[in-house]
Amino acid sequence: MKILMVDGALPARDCSAGERATFDLIDALKALGHSVVFTALGTNGRETERLHALEVAGVTILGGHGAGLNHLHDALMETWNTVIVHRPGPALLAAEALKAAGVVSVHWGHDIHTWRLEAQRQRCDNVPRHKLLVTDVTERRCWQAYDLNVYPTGREAEHVNSAGGRAVALPYYRLTSADLAPALWSPARRGCLMVGAAFHEPNFDAVAFAVAEVLPLLGPEHGITVVGEWPSERRASFEDDGVRFTGRVSEAELRRLHADHCCLLAPLRFGAGARRKLVAAMGLGLPVVTSEEGLRGLLVRDGLHADGVRIAATAEQFADRVTELATTPALWNTCAADALAAVSAVYSASSFDAAVEQTLQRAEECHHDR
């Protein structure tokens, strides 16, 4: 098949979870033998680096990317089997052009943005009401306009279907053999690993909570390492002897950090979608300590099975879970093994690729049924 992928900007493998998920989809499509062409409606910097990453992945870049909707109209003059548009903003902008072209259309939503912003507004009171309303209208229009909407959790897909759209749940993350590795407890493993950039508000809130309320309850051997982009003004109030910020790191360094720490700590208090940091840690055999909110959406089962994940609600419970893992080798090994088995069954490359192929077939069926 000849597939056109559209987003607001070119993705990078080493940035956000959403951009990594875009590359996971690209890798699956290429493994399935499809031809992938990418175009962006706008730009966001690091263009040369991003173009190179896409070319290495075997993607053809459509000439004139970044020129907006006029460029997309021109691109749709070609024949495509399917067009996949990422995120609600670009998807709404592209909807009329796709309808006019009569092509099979897929909205790759990443998460229900309205849910995440609504939870952030309730928790942090820093989301203007008009932004929430605009996002809600945008997503609802996408659900109606596209042949198929794709989300990482059953909960989100069911919501879209109940609102009159057509949606399926797909794992979203693709773990290769390098991402799936058994691990054993070792006394050399120390401290908690946290992953996520500060610009994503759920990550900032989680680190603030962990540093202010969980860290004081842990012993001095249990520091916190934070991986991801954190501007100096956002990390200044957190930096002390027990907190270390690494900035963005390579894949090899991130794997090493997983091997060095006792657990992945993810005390998420709001958000949406499935959290890649949890899936990645489980695949590398690092036990996860998270909240019910963090677990929600994992393995497209919306928290019905913990699968080796340790759940906590209060600061005291988070501290207890970390301490239990650090002092009980048998528990640590059991959690690591159960987590690896769970993600292997759902997020392995073979499982992910099969789900993508089924999704493409479903989109074509929906297109012909409309």
Side-chain angles (χ1 to χ4, degrees):
M1 291 176 64
K2 186 179 177 183
I3 297 174
L4 176 64
M5 294 182 67
V6 183
D7 203 345
L10 299 177
R13 278 195 188 271
D14 63 348
C15 286
S16 67
E19 290 175 86
R20 288 170 182 253
T22 300
F23 271 95
D24 285 343
L25 175 58
I26 289 170
D27 291 341
L29 292 171
K30 295 299 295 182
L32 291 165
H34 301 304
S35 171
V36 181
V37 179
F38 201 102
T39 192
L41 300 181
T43 60
N44 62 349
R46 296 175 60 195
E47 294 300 296
T48 301
E49 181 181 335
R50 292 169 185 266
L51 283 168
H52 177 69
L54 287 166
E55 289 167 356
V56 168
V59 175
T60 300
I61 310 299
L62 207 61
H65 76 275
L69 284 177
N70 289 335
H71 166 61
L72 181 61
H73 280 283
D74 292 340
L76 291 174
M77 297 296 289
E78 297 186 34
T79 300
W80 306 98
N81 295 104
T82 302
V83 177
I84 300 172
V85 189
H86 292 265
R87 283 169 269 271
L92 183 61
L93 289 173
E96 285 301 316
L98 294 174
K99 181 179 180 181
V103 67
V104 176
S105 61
V106 177
H107 169 218
W108 212 263
H110 289 265
D111 65 21
I112 294 183
H113 290 44
T114 304
W115 285 1
R116 172 160 46 84
L117 292 175
E118 190 173 59
Q120 180 179 330
R121 187 169 187 264
Q122 292 176 358
R123 171 69 62 176
C124 306
D125 196 27
N126 61 358
V127 177
R129 180 166 177 76
H130 73 271
K131 181 177 181 179
L132 185 62
L133 293 174
V134 167
T135 304
D136 185 37
V137 170
T138 298
E139 290 188 309
R140 290 181 181 277
R141 287 184 176 176
C142 289
W143 298 342
Q144 302 298 325
Y146 280 75
D147 294 319
L148 190 65
N149 300 272
V150 181
Y151 285 94
T153 74
R155 177 171 167 256
E156 288 167 310
E158 289 168 7
H159 178 74
V160 175
N161 288 323
S162 70
R166 296 185 179 183
V168 296
L170 185 142
Y172 256 61
Y173 307 134
R174 184 179 191 265
L175 302 184
T176 66
S177 57
D179 303 312
L180 296 168
L184 294 173
W185 179 88
S186 166
R189 290 179 175 271
R190 295 295 181 94
C192 305
L193 182 65
M194 299 188 72
V195 179
F199 68 81
H200 190 54
E201 202 63 32
N203 293 335
F204 181 82
D205 178 78
V207 170
F209 171 76
V211 173
E213 301 191 38
V214 180
L215 189 58
L217 302 176
L218 297 171
E221 71 275 15
H222 296 300
I224 294 176
T225 300
V226 182
V227 177
E229 289 191 51
W230 280 71
S232 56
E233 65 272 15
R234 297 218 83 175
R235 67 173 185 257
S237 60
F238 301 140
E239 288 184 304
D240 59 25
D241 293 339
V243 185
R244 178 170 71 99
F245 290 86
T246 68
R248 187 190 299 167
V249 300
S250 67
E251 288 295 323
E253 176 63 11
L254 185 57
R255 288 192 178 96
R256 188 190 67 77
L257 288 168
H258 278 79
D260 287 345
H261 287 78
C262 173
C263 69
L264 179 88
L265 181 62
L268 294 159
R269 299 193 286 183
F270 61 92
R275 282 68 177 196
R276 188 186 190 95
K277 59 177 70 70
L278 272 69
V279 174
M282 294 167 72
L284 294 173
L286 182 65
V288 171
V289 180
T290 190
S291 58
E292 290 285 355
E293 177 60 43
L295 182 64
R296 183 176 293 153
L298 187 64
L299 308 180
V300 199
R301 283 186 265 179
D302 293 335
L304 296 179
H305 304 278
D307 298 306
V309 177
R310 304 286 286 166
I311 305 300
T314 65
E316 290 76 13
Q317 290 175 354
F318 275 104
D320 288 344
R321 301 294 182 269
V322 172
T323 301
E324 289 166 359
L325 287 168
T327 58
T328 316
L331 174 64
W332 196 101
N333 288 332
T334 297
C335 288
D338 288 349
L340 175 58
V343 295
S344 296
V346 179
Y347 294 98
S348 66
S350 59
S351 297
F352 181 86
D353 294 355
V356 168
E357 189 73 352
Q358 291 170 6
T359 298
L360 294 176
Q361 293 171 3
R362 176 62 177 153
E364 188 171 0
E365 293 168 1
C366 290
H367 179 75
H368 293 304
D369 287 345
R370 296 187 76 170

